[in-house]
Amino acid sequence: MKLATSKKEQTRIKERSKKADAKQKNILEMLKSHGAKIYDDLDNGQFPKFSIPSRSVSNIVYDKKLRQYILGTNAAVRSSRNSAQLRSFTQLMWLAFFANRLTHEKKSSTLRDVYYSSQAFAIEFEDQSESDNIIVDLEAVTSKPREDFHIFPEERSSIFGDLTIEYTIPGYEGKTMNLSNHPDGYSIGPSLTTAELVDTSAEIVIAIEKGGLFTRFVEEQVDKKFKSIIINTGGQAPRSTRTLLKRLHEEMKLPVIVLTDGDVYGEHIAMVIKSGSANAAHLRELTVPDAKWVGVWATDIEKYKLPTIPMTESDIKRCYDLQKDPRYQDGIWKKELDVFLKLKRKAELEAFSKYGLTNITDKYLPQKLELAKSL
Amino acid sequence: MKLATSKKEQTRIKERSKKADAKQKNILEMLKSHGAKIYDDLDNGQFPKFSIPSRSVSNIVYDKKLRQYILGTNAAVRSSRNSAQLRSFTQLMWLAFFANRLTHEKKSSTLRDVYYSSQAFAIEFEDQSESDNIIVDLEAVTSKPREDFHIFPEERSSIFGDLTIEYTIPGYEGKTMNLSNHPDGYSIGPSLTTAELVDTSAEIVIAIEKGGLFTRFVEEQVDKKFKSIIINTGGQAPRSTRTLLKRLHEEMKLPVIVLTDGDVYGEHIAMVIKSGSANAAHLRELTVPDAKWVGVWATDIEKYKLPTIPMTESDIKRCYDLQKDPRYQDGIWKKELDVFLKLKRKAELEAFSKYGLTNITDKYLPQKLELAKSL
């Protein structure tokens, strides 16, 4: 960590700080304008109401151009006039107030925090799933992810590689950090997610499903040998991690490849990084449409003669479910799904250890990196 | 990160490096001596065999002096003469060979890697639970945790605070790192676990069960305000994290306090940090007998009027089970268990958010830190 001191750096920091302030201001104004509408309704002697894009299955459609699920045009009015909606209307009002406060004070919180915080205001939520649901409502109303309101998920993912970031969170503004010095990796949380991406010598981002492989990749210096930033997604990539992947792709112009276990869940981990999940159809900021899934493919199982495990009933059911998903109708997505169903077997990333611990980084990875260029 | 350059530092690095080499040598010699016995048996025309401390329940006893579970004196002979034992005998032989190689080459691996690696040698394991079991056998034979043989668990824990470490892993020897600059925390993995602990200004270690609270504590500068190192255990603390806690206590002379959810599982997370788990009774290096559980206690639920959730059937059963555990026969361990059973309700760390997001760091933590002095 160092403090920027030169004049040029000071100017840069000021610009960044301005940008962060502008983002915060934008969110606060958006919340304010929604609040103003409520006051207007009251001034006009009307029952105040919100218009909320419908998140029902019938209103979730796949957008081929955006390459992700989005919400259709159906919207529901939540009105304080309707006694059946009064409860959720009040909850949403309170949440907007609370989100405003979090954003204003730059305090981070979690879904769970929000649930308990409501009790201080005598706002009633049956349980956390009810408050989680209202948080998604606010996301849908504003089209902004809850992270913009300082409501963060609990992360379990980490990053390693030559990437210099500059923090924007209170107490760390203007401090920079290079993420290539702690080989166990840096946790991805609110401060990394909101940091400016300053500089990198990397030419690619490798997202990998498992911590064990992440450690192996760092140990075998995949970051240096293949000029890469390595990200451990810890299973299904959490939202902040997906946002970070998107930013690395867009702001640093880095291609993103995804390595998962060779099973239907692995394939879908890659798909969610690429095109989001249906239950975040109301957001646009969590996808990396150009991300490439490079393995472990079903066809790799035979090609590399990997040790396998039989697929479970639930694996097989999952395959059939995904076959109906519009995103799995062509290319490797369809092909590999078909082969999984034919083989009825799956293989883990660690299966390459059969050929020696470094086989995956010495042989498999270079082949897949080469192949990724043509995908 | 910086490279040590002064003469004094160079000397220090050499000493550290010598120490790490000595540890490695010690492990390699231990494995060699076990191997030599096998050769001796063969030379003497005898069927080779291993003596393994029994890990059956009847041989797990609580040691009041050590304040942890240990194995009794029963040992079983695993002999190549007995055809029923030939399989596990061969597996253990192979594992010792493989552990020797990992240690020699300073390569890290995982339980899963070991399972798949065996296939390269045509060593048969039915599934990973069989190979995991043999790894515990090797731990029992050598009284060394598998981490010493470079077999690491997948970690999900992280650390933050003014602690300077010096790496010992290949490629990073002599490089130092201060763990107070990345507010999302540093992942705890093989390189941190094996690093030298060089320096700290902290006066206490706070282990906390959840990532959300870890983030809150960093954000509220608990590290600075209370001169502490903060560790997110991510639920039940993984073994490397427990080893790190032990080392911070013994090498840096720091007291360790544990903060968990207010439920029986939280109480036991603290107990496992303090005195280990029965299934690691064959090891001595994973306990912090002086660690103190400071909350959330069952009695805190009433004292702080916390929002609660009803205990489940399984919570209640767990309470009754722990009441039979010798470690829960007195002090707060017994008292809080009794109160949980009386209340039949539990409370999470986030429940303090009812009084504002920073109530837990502004009010609760200082009270508990004060109280810890008298525990």
Side-chain angles (χ1 to χ4, degrees):
Chain A
M1 189 179 68
K2 55 174 186 184
L3 276 163
T5 42
S6 77
K7 257 200 173 166
K8 202 174 151 192
E9 279 182 317
Q10 292 288 7
T11 315
R12 206 192 58 200
I13 290 171
K14 265 188 206 154
E15 272 168 24
R16 292 233 164 81
S17 163
K18 250 192 235 168
K19 207 170 121 189
D21 286 349
K23 188 181 176 187
Q24 184 200 20
K25 210 176 142 194
N26 177 15
I27 295 286
L28 292 173
E29 277 175 2
M30 181 185 279
L31 290 170
K32 198 175 171 181
S33 84
H34 281 285
K37 275 188 220 149
I38 302 292
Y39 277 101
D40 288 346
D41 283 341
L42 289 169
D43 284 346
N44 296 331
Q46 304 206 319
F47 283 98
K49 58 188 181 301
F50 272 108
S51 171
I52 305 178
S54 164
R55 293 185 283 115
S56 71
V57 178
S58 60
N59 197 42
I60 294 178
V61 291
Y62 185 67
D63 185 307
K64 280 197 176 165
K65 213 168 135 197
L66 281 174
R67 291 185 282 175
Q68 73 163 100
Y69 280 104
I70 60 166
L71 294 185
T73 51
N74 296 348
V77 170
R78 189 165 304 168
S79 169
S80 57
R81 183 180 189 170
N82 182 335
S83 65
Q85 293 173 359
L86 194 53
R87 177 186 173 91
S88 59
F89 175 86
T90 316
Q91 290 169 335
L92 185 53
M93 285 283 295
W94 172 79
L95 182 68
F97 150 81
F98 194 69
N100 184 68
R101 194 152 110 173
L102 287 172
T103 310
H104 191 72
E105 294 176 4
K106 296 185 179 174
K107 285 241 176 277
S108 75
S109 68
T110 62
L111 295 173
R112 206 131 193 78
D113 277 332
V114 171
Y115 167 61
Y116 283 113
S117 296
S118 66
Q119 304 192 8
F121 300 86
I123 295 294
E124 193 179 276
F125 288 106
E126 193 69 44
D127 50 29
Q128 198 195 320
S129 73
E130 192 176 11
S131 63
D132 287 356
N133 215 26
I134 296 290
I135 291 170
V136 182
D137 279 347
L138 186 64
E139 290 187 323
V141 167
T142 60
S143 296
K144 293 285 173 193
R146 61 174 184 259
E147 289 81 358
D148 283 2
F149 309 117
H150 292 243
I151 303 171
F152 291 91
E154 184 159 324
E155 296 280 338
R156 55 185 183 286
S157 47
S158 49
I159 184 169
F160 181 84
D162 176 22
L163 174 68
T164 301
I165 60 168
E166 187 178 302
Y167 299 107
T168 62
I169 60 163
Y172 291 83
E173 299 101 331
K175 288 179 179 173
T176 61
M177 172 69 85
N178 182 286
L179 304 177
S180 66
N181 296 323
H182 177 54
D184 291 338
Y186 298 76
S187 300
I188 299 175
S191 59
L192 185 44
T193 314
T194 59
E196 288 292 326
L197 310 179
V198 179
D199 194 24
T200 183
S201 67
E203 295 171 1
I204 193 166
V205 178
I206 302 175
I208 190 153
E209 184 188 338
K210 280 173 163 170
L213 272 297
F214 174 82
T215 302
R216 162 88 48 244
F217 276 38
V218 174
E219 195 168 298
E220 297 306 324
Q221 308 197 306
V222 164
D223 59 309
K224 293 185 189 69
K225 288 180 192 158
F226 303 100
K227 294 195 173 231
S228 61
I229 293 167
I230 312 167
I231 289 184
N232 166 23
T233 67
Q236 192 66 262
R239 290 165 48 134
S240 308
T241 305
R242 281 153 58 197
T243 307
L244 183 63
L245 286 167
K246 186 187 186 71
R247 293 186 56 205
L248 285 166
H249 179 62
E250 292 187 351
E251 298 173 26
M252 308 308 269
K253 311 292 175 212
L254 298 178
V256 172
I257 66 163
V258 187
L259 264 174
T260 67
D261 279 341
D263 59 27
V264 59
Y265 294 99
E267 182 168 351
H268 198 59
I269 283 171
M271 179 58 91
V272 168
I273 289 172
K274 186 181 173 70
S275 78
S277 59
N279 56 25
H282 58 291
L283 297 172
R284 298 282 181 282
E285 296 175 26
L286 297 170
T287 65
V288 191
D290 295 322
K292 285 168 186 168
W293 179 46
V294 298
V296 176
W297 292 347
T299 46
D300 289 339
I301 291 176
E302 291 187 317
K303 187 173 172 195
Y304 294 92
K305 299 197 184 359
L306 297 177
T308 58
I309 311 162
M311 281 169 71
T312 63
E313 280 302 311
S314 112
D315 292 337
I316 292 167
K317 186 180 171 300
R318 188 77 182 133
C319 281
Y320 286 124
D321 286 349
L322 290 185
Q323 281 188 328
K324 293 173 206 147
D325 188 314
R327 299 171 293 177
Y328 286 88
Q329 299 310 313
D330 47 32
I332 54 157
W333 304 100
K334 175 177 163 47
K335 182 183 169 192
E336 297 302 324
L337 214 51
D338 291 346
V339 178
F340 277 126
L341 269 174
K342 199 192 77 189
L343 293 178
K344 296 227 167 39
R345 301 193 73 84
K346 56 188 180 181
E348 296 181 286
L349 282 160
E350 290 94 334
F352 288 95
S353 297
K354 175 183 169 181
Y355 301 113
L357 289 176
T358 62
N359 181 270
I360 191 163
T361 52
D362 293 347
K363 298 280 166 57
Y364 185 68
L365 182 64
Q367 289 178 17
K368 287 293 182 170
L369 284 171
E370 194 52 40
L371 190 138
K373 293 176 189 163
S374 64
L375 279 182
Chain B
M1 190 179 68
K2 55 175 184 182
L3 276 163
T5 41
S6 78
K7 257 201 174 164
K8 202 174 150 192
E9 279 183 319
Q10 292 288 8
T11 316
R12 206 193 58 199
I13 290 171
K14 265 190 206 153
E15 271 167 24
R16 292 234 164 81
S17 162
K18 249 192 233 167
K19 208 170 119 188
D21 287 350
K23 188 181 174 187
Q24 184 200 21
K25 210 176 143 195
N26 177 15
I27 296 286
L28 291 174
E29 277 175 3
M30 182 185 279
L31 289 169
K32 197 174 172 182
S33 83
H34 281 286
K37 275 188 221 147
I38 303 292
Y39 277 101
D40 288 346
D41 283 341
L42 289 169
D43 285 345
N44 296 332
Q46 304 207 318
F47 281 98
K49 58 188 181 303
F50 271 108
S51 171
I52 305 178
S54 163
R55 293 185 285 115
S56 70
V57 178
S58 61
N59 197 43
I60 295 177
V61 291
Y62 185 67
D63 184 309
K64 280 197 175 165
K65 215 168 135 195
L66 281 174
R67 292 184 283 174
Q68 73 164 101
Y69 279 103
I70 59 166
L71 295 185
T73 51
N74 296 348
V77 170
R78 189 166 302 168
S79 170
S80 56
R81 183 180 189 169
N82 183 333
S83 64
Q85 294 173 358
L86 194 52
R87 177 185 172 90
S88 59
F89 175 87
T90 315
Q91 291 169 333
L92 186 53
M93 285 283 294
W94 172 79
L95 181 68
F97 151 80
F98 193 70
N100 184 68
R101 194 152 111 172
L102 287 172
T103 311
H104 190 75
E105 294 177 4
K106 295 185 181 175
K107 285 242 176 277
S108 74
S109 68
T110 63
L111 295 173
R112 206 130 194 81
D113 277 331
V114 170
Y115 167 62
Y116 283 113
S117 296
S118 65
Q119 304 191 12
F121 300 87
I123 294 293
E124 192 180 277
F125 287 105
E126 192 69 42
D127 50 28
Q128 197 196 320
S129 73
E130 191 176 11
S131 64
D132 287 357
N133 215 25
I134 295 289
I135 291 169
V136 181
D137 280 346
L138 186 64
E139 289 187 325
V141 167
T142 59
S143 295
K144 293 285 172 192
R146 60 173 184 259
E147 289 81 357
D148 284 1
F149 309 117
H150 292 244
I151 303 171
F152 291 91
E154 185 159 325
E155 296 279 337
R156 56 186 183 285
S157 49
S158 49
I159 183 169
F160 181 83
D162 177 22
L163 173 67
T164 301
I165 60 167
E166 188 178 301
Y167 298 107
T168 62
I169 60 162
Y172 291 83
E173 299 101 332
K175 289 180 177 170
T176 61
M177 172 68 86
N178 181 285
L179 304 176
S180 66
N181 296 323
H182 177 54
D184 291 337
Y186 298 77
S187 300
I188 299 175
S191 60
L192 185 44
T193 314
T194 58
E196 288 292 326
L197 310 179
V198 179
D199 195 24
T200 183
S201 67
E203 294 171 1
I204 193 166
V205 178
I206 302 175
I208 191 154
E209 183 188 337
K210 280 175 163 167
L213 271 297
F214 174 83
T215 302
R216 164 87 48 245
F217 275 39
V218 173
E219 195 168 299
E220 298 306 323
Q221 307 196 308
V222 165
D223 59 309
K224 294 185 188 70
K225 288 181 192 158
F226 304 101
K227 293 193 173 231
S228 61
I229 293 167
I230 313 167
I231 289 184
N232 166 23
T233 67
Q236 192 66 262
R239 291 165 46 135
S240 308
T241 305
R242 281 152 59 196
T243 307
L244 183 63
L245 286 168
K246 187 188 185 72
R247 292 186 56 205
L248 285 167
H249 179 62
E250 292 187 352
E251 298 173 26
M252 309 306 271
K253 311 290 174 213
L254 298 178
V256 173
I257 66 163
V258 187
L259 263 174
T260 67
D261 279 341
D263 60 26
V264 59
Y265 293 100
E267 182 167 351
H268 198 59
I269 283 172
M271 180 58 92
V272 168
I273 289 173
K274 187 181 174 69
S275 77
S277 60
N279 57 25
H282 58 291
L283 298 172
R284 298 281 180 283
E285 295 174 29
L286 297 170
T287 64
V288 191
D290 294 322
K292 285 168 186 168
W293 179 47
V294 297
V296 176
W297 293 346
T299 47
D300 289 340
I301 292 176
E302 292 187 318
K303 187 172 172 195
Y304 295 92
K305 300 198 184 0
L306 296 178
T308 58
I309 311 162
M311 283 169 70
T312 63
E313 281 302 312
S314 112
D315 292 336
I316 292 167
K317 186 180 171 300
R318 187 76 183 136
C319 280
Y320 286 123
D321 286 348
L322 291 186
Q323 281 188 327
K324 293 172 205 146
D325 188 313
R327 299 171 294 178
Y328 285 87
Q329 299 311 312
D330 48 31
I332 55 157
W333 303 100
K334 175 176 165 46
K335 183 183 168 193
E336 297 302 324
L337 214 51
D338 291 347
V339 177
F340 277 126
L341 270 174
K342 199 193 78 189
L343 294 177
K344 295 230 167 32
R345 299 193 75 83
K346 55 187 180 180
E348 296 182 286
L349 282 159
E350 291 93 335
F352 287 95
S353 297
K354 176 184 168 180
Y355 301 113
L357 288 176
T358 60
N359 180 271
I360 191 163
T361 51
D362 292 347
K363 300 280 165 58
Y364 185 67
L365 182 64
Q367 289 178 17
K368 287 294 182 169
L369 284 171
E370 193 53 41
L371 189 139
K373 293 176 189 163
S374 64
L375 280 182

